[in-house]
Amino acid sequence: MKPAPFDYVSPWTITEACAVLAEAGGGATLLAGGQTLMPLLNLRMSQPFIIVDINKIAELRGVSRAEGATRIGPMTRQCEVLADETLARDLPVLVQAMSHVGHHQTRNRGTIGGSISLGEPAAEMPATAVALGANIEVRSVRGTRIIPADQFYVGPYLTVLEPDELVTGLIYPDWPKGHITVFREVAQRPGDFALVGLVGALTVTNGKIARAGLAWFGMGPTPIKAKAAEQMLLGRELGEIDSQAVAERAISDTAPFDDHHASAEYRRTVGKRIFARTLRETLDIREVA
């Protein structure tokens, strides 16, 4: 099929893009990498009046250091995230998770901002942002606001973004040097969305968990922060951690569902097992008898 007719604009600045979005009154759609949008257009599942192509806006690209954080432009390609030395050093779990996003071909065009803005509940990037405590900067003609990632998602493919707003920055707070990364997903094939996924980071100080950031993906209508498990881990000595008990607590935060890929019961069972196994392997701990 072919897309329905639409107008096309390609602004050079954020200010220009925001003005177009405001004038469109909800009838515009942004074009970043196009990996999701183009099939939707061709199937006429999306029929915007205006396509706003933001690929020419240079200020939306790149990785930079801010005070106590790393800032990533939303138009940074997924392949660029994988190759960036700053991200490999400061946000290794982000790079690890990105390697599971789509395929080599799609990562050449796909953007990190597109992945996060889409709000796919089984995707790696939204959950990684939630786990690491990222903030999402958005702009419109009305001004700029900063939205914590764990408040950004309200349902499958639904976010708090207003129709006239544009994501302009992804801000990840620093984690201490030498922090421990946590990542595991179960998918039917490499590149598929996860049936069950876990991502995050842990900090160990003097043999105790000093900081924890963990999130599920594929386990509910949005990425889900494993708050109960985080609280159970904080302050615990490694030798006292019962991985099975923490996994039980972690599952209590989830809301898995039945679909044609897997049942809710499958997701709960596998989620519990990968959480316990990943925790043991990551922290090199033994089962508590």
Side-chain angles (χ1 to χ4, degrees), residues 17-278:
C18 289
V20 174
L21 292 175
E23 292 171 5
T29 294
L30 293 171
L31 171 60
Q35 301 306 293
T36 299
L37 178 60
M38 298 311 294
L40 293 178
L41 291 175
N42 287 333
L43 293 170
R44 300 202 175 191
M45 296 174 68
S46 177
Q47 298 188 32
F49 299 123
I50 304 172
I51 295 290
V52 184
D53 183 345
I54 56 175
N55 280 270
K56 292 180 181 178
I57 305 178
E59 55 194 314
L60 293 179
R61 296 194 195 93
V63 177
S64 60
R65 288 287 304 157
E67 185 175 353
T70 300
R71 180 188 177 93
I72 307 176
M75 283 300 296
T76 304
R77 305 289 178 194
Q78 295 163 357
C79 62
E80 293 171 338
V81 170
L82 288 173
D84 190 273
E85 294 181 359
T86 297
L87 296 179
R89 181 190 68 224
D90 297 335
L91 294 170
V93 75
L94 174 68
V95 177
Q96 183 180 5
M98 183 64 83
S99 70
H100 291 260
V101 175
H103 303 274
H104 176 77
Q105 295 89 338
T106 61
R107 290 194 294 265
N108 286 331
R109 288 294 302 171
T111 65
I112 186 171
S115 296
I116 285 179
S117 300
L118 180 63
E120 161 60 57
E124 295 85 358
M125 288 300 99
T128 303
V130 169
L132 298 181
N135 288 310
I136 300 171
E137 179 189 271
V138 303
R139 279 177 58 180
S140 69
V141 295
R142 295 173 284 109
T144 301
R145 61 179 180 140
I146 305 295
I147 307 168
D150 62 358
Q151 299 175 24
F152 189 69
Y153 302 100
V154 295
Y157 304 102
L158 294 175
T159 72
V160 297
L161 272 179
E162 297 293 338
D164 65 338
E165 288 183 317
L166 168 68
V167 173
T168 53
L170 308 168
I171 304 162
Y172 294 81
D174 286 345
W175 283 72
K177 185 177 180 180
H179 69 268
I180 299 168
T181 62
V182 177
F183 183 85
R184 182 160 292 180
E185 75 172 36
V186 175
Q188 292 178 320
R189 297 168 301 182
D192 281 2
F193 286 120
L195 301 176
V196 182
L198 175 69
V199 63
L202 299 168
T203 298
V204 178
T205 303
N206 297 324
K208 296 181 179 181
I209 303 295
R211 184 177 175 186
L214 301 167
W216 294 102
F217 52 106
M219 291 291 278
T222 66
I224 297 172
K225 193 159 178 62
K227 294 180 180 179
E230 290 175 353
Q231 290 302 314
M232 193 172 181
L233 287 169
L234 287 173
R236 287 289 185 93
E237 292 188 6
L238 298 188
E240 297 177 350
I241 294 174
D242 182 341
S243 60
Q244 293 291 345
V246 180
E248 289 278 2
R249 188 69 63 86
I251 286 293
S252 70
D253 281 324
T254 66
F257 45 85
D258 294 324
D259 62 17
H260 63 284
H261 296 297
S263 67
E265 183 58 29
Y266 172 89
R267 288 183 162 97
R268 276 190 290 268
T269 301
V270 173
K272 189 189 309 182
R273 290 180 181 176
I274 69 168
F275 190 101
R277 182 184 301 168
T278 303

